[in-house]
Amino acid sequence: MSLEKDRISTNQMIILGLFTFIGDMALVYPALMISGAKQDAWIAALISIPLGLATIKLLLCLADIEPNKNIIELSLQILGKWAGTAVALFYLVFFLIAASTYIREIEDFMCTQIYEKTPGGVIRFMAIFLLVYGVRLGLETLGRAAQLFFPLFAVFLIGLLLLLTPDVKMERLYPIMNTPVPDMLHTLMYGVFYPFGELCVFLMVYPYAQKNSKTSRDIFIALIIGALGLNLILFFSLTVLGVYASEHQFYAAYILAQKINIANSLQRIEALMATAWIISTYFKTAIYYYALTLGTAQLFKLKSHRPLILPTGFLLFGMSQLIAKDIIFYVKEIPAYWVDWDFTCAFVLPLMLLIVYYLKKRFAAKV
């Protein structure tokens, strides 16, 4: 019997997926891509879209093996008790580290850009308090809240892009195709597995969505729109700020919002960008938090995941402090290795599970 009784609609799952897809990427994606491919970052970003969609197709193929089972249950079913437990634990550790990292991102952003004199622990506590509250209300409530906040998020993001149009300077895209192949391939890894790979957490949510024959199509359409939106932020970062500023400003999209100045009257609206980013990052973190508690309860055969929510909040509070000693360490060290986590959880392990499943199925058919 499933521990999760809540059900969300396809639209709610897709909106949560868009929040997870864009999430923290709205601010940090330009710097990550431009640091590797310079002026060619927009080309790498466009190439990464079909590759990222192929990764999502792989995840959907795995999820459709047993549409009512999540990745923890699938791992145990396909690989057996010991190997399945090892894979399940790997995913749970990833969910823990990811949720801690996103909380730390919120803390560092708020403390360095907005509330500079506020202790980081205060911001962290407020974020975790809201996360505990949201996850305790359940998946269905998170889905409905996402539907409520999504129009606000979309308006802020679209408004930002439209208001930046007068500041675009296309000459900042030159020279084109000047990036060495190894650097371009490395940037492609960022473009594929940073935004798309982190959707592997939806292997924990997919079974609880009310699916129909058009669910897969709707998922791909939504992700294409989300990818284009993310790449537009990258494009504006290149053409408004330039390569050097975009590469060395970790929160390039926030700096972009500070550049908006329409007739000296409409300006300093970066708080709207910050609001949009915090909304999306909140839902992204909440999904990882939810996946961690639910997966832990299923792996250890608990009757409910709800008793784990508050203790996990304390764990996340400490982990988000330990994840990096300061923002410099976070910016310089974590992104280069984080893509390996995403690659493993979104491609290597799902592919392995699919191969083992079909080999076992083929062997059983012969017997």
Side-chain angles (χ1 to χ4, degrees), residues 52-63 203 220 346-352 354:
L53 293 176
T55 303
I56 299 303
K57 179 63 177 177
L58 175 68
L59 296 177
L60 286 174
C61 288
L62 177 61
L203 292 172
F220 283 113
F347 184 78
V348 175
L349 292 179
L351 182 62
M352 180 191 72
L354 277 172

Side-chain angles (χ1 to χ4, degrees), residues 71-364:
I71 187 62
I72 304 299
E73 296 167 312
L74 283 172
S75 299
L76 295 171
Q77 174 185 323
I78 295 172
L79 299 178
K81 180 179 179 181
W82 297 107
T85 299
V87 170
L89 283 173
F90 188 89
Y91 272 103
L92 292 178
V93 170
F94 173 64
F95 296 154
L96 171 63
I97 294 177
S100 303
T101 302
Y102 303 143
I103 292 169
R104 182 58 182 268
E105 282 184 352
I106 294 173
E107 175 191 338
D108 286 341
F109 171 73
M110 298 296 286
C111 290
T112 59
Q113 303 296 322
I114 300 178
Y115 300 124
E116 298 180 9
K117 301 295 184 179
T118 304
V122 174
I123 302 295
R124 204 180 330 132
F125 174 80
M126 293 171 64
I128 291 177
F129 176 81
L130 292 174
L131 286 166
V132 169
Y133 181 71
V135 175
R136 279 191 65 85
L137 290 176
L139 181 62
E140 185 176 352
T141 303
L142 283 174
R144 291 178 178 178
Q147 277 186 310
L148 183 65
F149 280 103
F150 185 74
L152 186 67
F153 169 79
V155 167
F156 285 170
L157 197 58
I158 293 171
L160 169 72
L161 298 178
L162 290 177
L163 292 172
L164 282 170
T165 304
D167 296 321
V168 168
K169 295 182 180 179
M170 297 298 292
E171 60 268 19
R172 287 176 172 157
L173 294 177
Y174 299 105
I176 295 177
M177 300 300 292
N178 200 37
T179 304
V181 173
D183 291 342
M184 181 64 82
L185 292 176
H186 195 224
T187 306
L188 278 175
M189 285 284 289
Y190 284 157
V192 173
F193 293 108
Y194 258 113
F196 290 98
E198 292 184 357
L199 290 172
C200 66
V201 71
F202 275 81
L203 292 172
M204 294 294 297
V205 177
Y206 187 77
Y208 313 118
Q210 298 169 349
K211 297 173 281 291
N212 54 53
S213 59
K214 298 180 180 179
T215 297
S216 295
R217 183 204 66 180
D218 293 342
I219 289 172
F220 283 113
I221 291 174
L223 288 179
I224 290 172
I225 294 172
L228 291 176
L230 207 55
N231 290 340
L232 278 174
I233 295 175
L234 170 62
F235 174 80
F236 278 105
S237 184
L238 274 172
T239 54
V240 175
L241 295 180
V243 171
Y244 183 83
S246 299
E247 182 180 357
H248 292 85
Q249 289 285 353
F250 192 61
Y251 303 117
Y254 184 74
I255 305 302
L256 275 176
Q258 292 179 333
K259 295 288 185 181
I260 294 173
N261 185 354
I262 306 298
N264 290 324
S265 58
L266 183 60
Q267 55 186 329
R268 303 296 297 179
I269 62 169
E270 62 270 15
L272 299 182
M273 181 62 202
T275 302
W277 181 80
I278 290 170
I279 289 172
S280 60
T281 306
Y282 170 82
F283 283 105
K284 182 174 186 175
T285 311
I287 290 297
Y288 273 87
Y289 190 171
Y290 165 81
L292 173 61
T293 56
L294 178 63
T296 303
Q298 289 176 325
L299 182 61
F300 293 100
K301 295 181 170 53
L302 304 181
K303 293 182 179 180
S304 173
H305 72 285
R306 293 178 66 83
L308 297 177
I309 293 174
L310 185 58
T312 303
F314 286 107
L315 179 61
L316 291 174
F317 185 88
M319 281 292 296
S320 58
Q321 172 65 27
L322 295 174
I323 207 77
K325 57 185 178 181
D326 52 39
I327 190 172
I328 303 300
F329 179 88
Y330 178 87
V331 171
K332 295 295 183 183
E333 301 296 333
I334 291 181
Y337 300 100
W338 191 262
V339 70
D340 298 330
W341 277 98
D342 290 336
F343 175 67
T344 303
C345 292
F347 184 78
V348 175
L349 292 179
L351 182 62
M352 180 191 72
L353 288 170
L354 277 172
I355 291 172
V356 172
Y357 171 77
Y358 283 112
L359 286 176
K360 289 175 67 175
K361 186 177 179 181
R362 186 175 179 181
F363 180 77

